[in-house]
Amino acid sequence: MINKTSKLINSLSNNSNFGNKNWKKLLDREGYIVIKNSKYMRENLNNLQKKSSELLMHEGDKGGWEGKEQYFKQGKKFESGAQRLGGLIKKDKSFLGLITIPEILMSAFHVIKDEIKSCGLNLRNPIAGAGQQSIHFDGFPRNDKSEDYAGIVAFIYLDDTSIENGAMRLIPKTHKNLGWPDDHINIEKNHPDEIRVVVNAGTIVVANLNLVLDRLFTVYKRSY
C-alpha cells in the first residue's frame, strides 16, 4: 500500500519520460520544464480533445462556474475572453488520468518536497482575438528566501501553439524573485528576457507556481 508521496514517486520513476535527465536542475534553475513525450498523452490525446469539445458544446456559458454557481446568470461567461471548463476530474476518466501522469507528480514533489495534492483541473481556451492576460503567477508570493515553494502549475496542451495563435509567454528564473511580479517589472509590457512557448498538442509544460507568465490571446483556434 502506498500511503506517502515519497513512496509513490519511487514507484513512478521507471514510468516517466522527461526527455532530459537533467530535468530537476532545469526546473530549479529556469522555473519550468517542457515534457514532449508523456506516455499518457500519447495514448489519450485524441479522447481528451473529443471529450473537451463535447463538454464545451454541452456546458456553454455555464462552463467554469463550478463552486461559484451562485454568481452565474444566463449569458454571463466565467471569463469573457475564453471558453472555460471546471471540475474536470469528475467529468471523465480521461481527465482524471491527467493527475496520475508520472512527470507531473514527480515535478510537484521535487518543487514542494512534501506531501502533494491536486488543487483542481480546468480547461481554458482563449477566443480568437481575446483572452490576453497581464503577466502574473498563479499563487502567492514568497517574502523570504527561506520560504518553501507552494506548488506547480501544469499546462497540458490539447492543440498546437504558435506565435500567431498566442503561445504562452513566460520569463525564466523569475520564480526566484520575492514579492509580487509588479514589484520587479511592468506587468503590462513585454520583458527583454521573456520567451514564447511553442509546442505541439500533447505537450506538458510544468512551471513553478511562482514563475511569472501569461496566457496570450489567440488569433485562430480549433473549431468545436
Side-chain angles (χ1 to χ4, degrees), residues 63 65 76-84 124 126-127 131-133:
W65 285 99
K76 182 180 180 181
K77 296 181 181 295
F78 185 79
E79 179 185 351
S80 60
Q83 294 174 303
R84 297 294 297 262
R124 182 178 189 267
I127 296 169
Q132 185 163 347
Q133 299 176 321

Side-chain angles (χ1 to χ4, degrees), residues 46-142:
N46 290 340
N47 192 53
L48 288 164
Q49 290 172 330
K50 179 175 178 290
K51 291 296 182 181
S52 63
S53 298
E54 291 173 354
L55 285 169
L56 285 169
M57 290 289 292
H58 175 71
E59 295 190 15
D61 291 342
K62 290 184 178 180
W65 285 99
E66 286 82 358
K68 299 181 180 179
E69 289 86 354
Q70 67 270 33
Y71 302 111
F72 173 73
K73 296 180 182 178
Q74 195 64 41
K76 182 180 180 181
K77 296 181 181 295
F78 185 79
E79 179 185 351
S80 60
Q83 294 174 303
R84 297 294 297 262
L85 294 173
L88 289 173
I89 289 174
K90 298 179 180 180
K91 293 181 178 178
D92 190 83
K93 64 180 181 181
S94 61
F95 292 116
L96 177 62
L98 292 173
I99 67 171
T100 71
I101 293 176
E103 295 86 351
I104 295 177
L105 295 173
M106 292 170 69
S107 297
F109 185 66
H110 176 69
V111 170
I112 298 169
K113 295 177 173 54
D114 202 345
E115 299 303 300
I116 62 176
K117 66 178 180 179
S118 172
C119 295
L121 180 62
N122 307 309
L123 182 146
R124 182 178 189 267
N125 182 51
I127 296 169
Q132 185 163 347
Q133 299 176 321
S134 299
I135 204 81
H136 68 287
F137 51 60
D138 290 324
F140 294 98
R142 294 187 310 140

Side-chain angles (χ1 to χ4, degrees), residues 34-49:
V34 179
I35 302 162
K36 297 181 179 180
N37 198 28
S38 161
K39 181 176 183 290
Y40 187 85
M41 293 307 296
R42 290 199 309 270
E43 295 176 351
N44 292 278
L45 178 59
N46 290 340
N47 192 53
L48 288 164
Q49 290 172 330

